[in-house]
Every structure is written in structure tokens, then in C-alpha cells.
Amino acid sequence: MIATDLGPLRATALAGALTLALSGCGLFTEPAHKPRAARSPAVAVQQAHGCPPSGVRLGTGPVDGAMGLRAMTLTLTNCSERPYEVKGHPAVRVLDEQGAPLTGVRTVEGTDEVFMAPQDPGAAPLTLAPGESARAGLYWRMAAEDGTYLRVVPQQGREALNVRPAEPLDIGPQNTLGTTAWAPVS
């Protein structure tokens, strides 16, 4: 007798689940970030080819996220014909679509202030021969605003480099962006 009472309940639950699935609500969602359409940048970024006057090219990896922690790699490549010295942590500012700094986002050296971020290995002097690269990590907790550009100073006293990552940084007010020190790419 109980089985016949559950029959209509099961049918109703199945119909509801199918309705949600077919309507696109609830069960199937779009990715958090869609690839960006190509258009004129609001911030001057490096050209896709060649070596800029700074002698280094800056690139970013994809955003990796799990349990609210986000990570992105910065890659600095010496494209000049002479050695390029770097030591320490990059100074990073997160900019919006118009190129203004996101309000309330604080950048710190190290990862201690970003919950669940891996430990920063610490700074060591590094000389990049022509063609060599160094990497630094960026870590933050997911928030509501999208950072469109990054303005990066590889080391104090060096020229700022602008880059537009393939994916925005979903960071926002009252958030901390932790950076790891530059390390050689092996």
C-alpha cells in the first residue's frame, strides 16, 4: 500500500527534475566566466608578438579555482638580448574594464592572508638569461566583481606592465590578492 502512495510522488519528482533540466534552470549552469570577445582594450597592453621596450613579456595562465580559492600564474619572459634581474614579489593592481583600480582590493607579498593558499617559497635573487622565464602565483578568494586587467611591476623600480588575462579575476571589495615570489620556470 505504501508503494502505491510513493508512485505519484516519484512521478512528480521526476517530472520536476526533467522540467528543470530542460529549462536550463537549477541543474545545468553556464561556466562562471565566458571567454571574452576581442575588442579595443581600455588599457594599453603588450603587443601579441615581438619584444617590448621593457625587454620582458608578461603572460598569465588560466584561473584555477576550487572551494572559493582562486589561483593564476604570472609568467615573466626575458625577450631581450641581455640578462634581466628580478628578486622578490611582483606588485600587482587589479583593474576594471575601464582601467581603474578595483576599490578595496589589497595586494600583499606572500600568501599568509589568503585562506587555504599554498605557502610562498620566499624571495631569492634571480637572473633570467635571454629566453628564460620566471613565474609568480596570484591567490585570492572568490568575490563578486571582475578584474579585467592586471598592472604588474616585476620589481620595485621597474616599468609597470599591463596584461589582460583570458579570464577575469573574480575578486572584489575587502579582498586580498596574495602573491608568491618570482621563481625560475623549470
Side-chain angles (χ1 to χ4, degrees), residues 46-47 49-58 76-84 128-133:
Q46 295 178 25
Q47 295 297 320
H49 303 287
C51 189
S54 65
V56 291
R57 294 198 62 74
L58 181 67
L76 186 70
T77 302
N78 181 357
C79 57
S80 74
E81 295 179 9
R82 59 185 190 280
Y84 185 89
L128 300 177
E132 289 185 330
S133 299

Side-chain angles (χ1 to χ4, degrees), residues 6-7 37 40 65 72 74 76 83 107 112-113 115 118 152 160 167 180 183:
L6 290 178
S40 299
M72 176 185 283
L74 294 177
L76 186 70
T107 302
D112 292 346
E113 296 184 43
F115 181 66
V152 179
E167 301 173 73
T180 63

Side-chain angles (χ1 to χ4, degrees), residues 3 16-17 36 55 65 68 73 86 89 94 124 127 129 132 146-147 149 179:
R36 299 177 187 202
T73 301
V86 66
H89 298 75
V94 182
T127 300
E132 289 185 330
D146 284 342
Y149 299 96
T179 62

Side-chain angles (χ1 to χ4, degrees), residues 94-114:
V94 182
L95 310 177
D96 66 15
E97 183 76 29
Q98 289 73 41
L102 283 184
T103 306
V105 174
R106 190 172 60 93
T107 302
V108 296
E109 291 183 358
T111 56
D112 292 346
E113 296 184 43
V114 180

Side-chain angles (χ1 to χ4, degrees), residues 29 42 72 100 123 146 160-162 177:
T29 59
M72 176 185 283
D146 284 342
L161 308 170
N162 297 320
L177 178 68

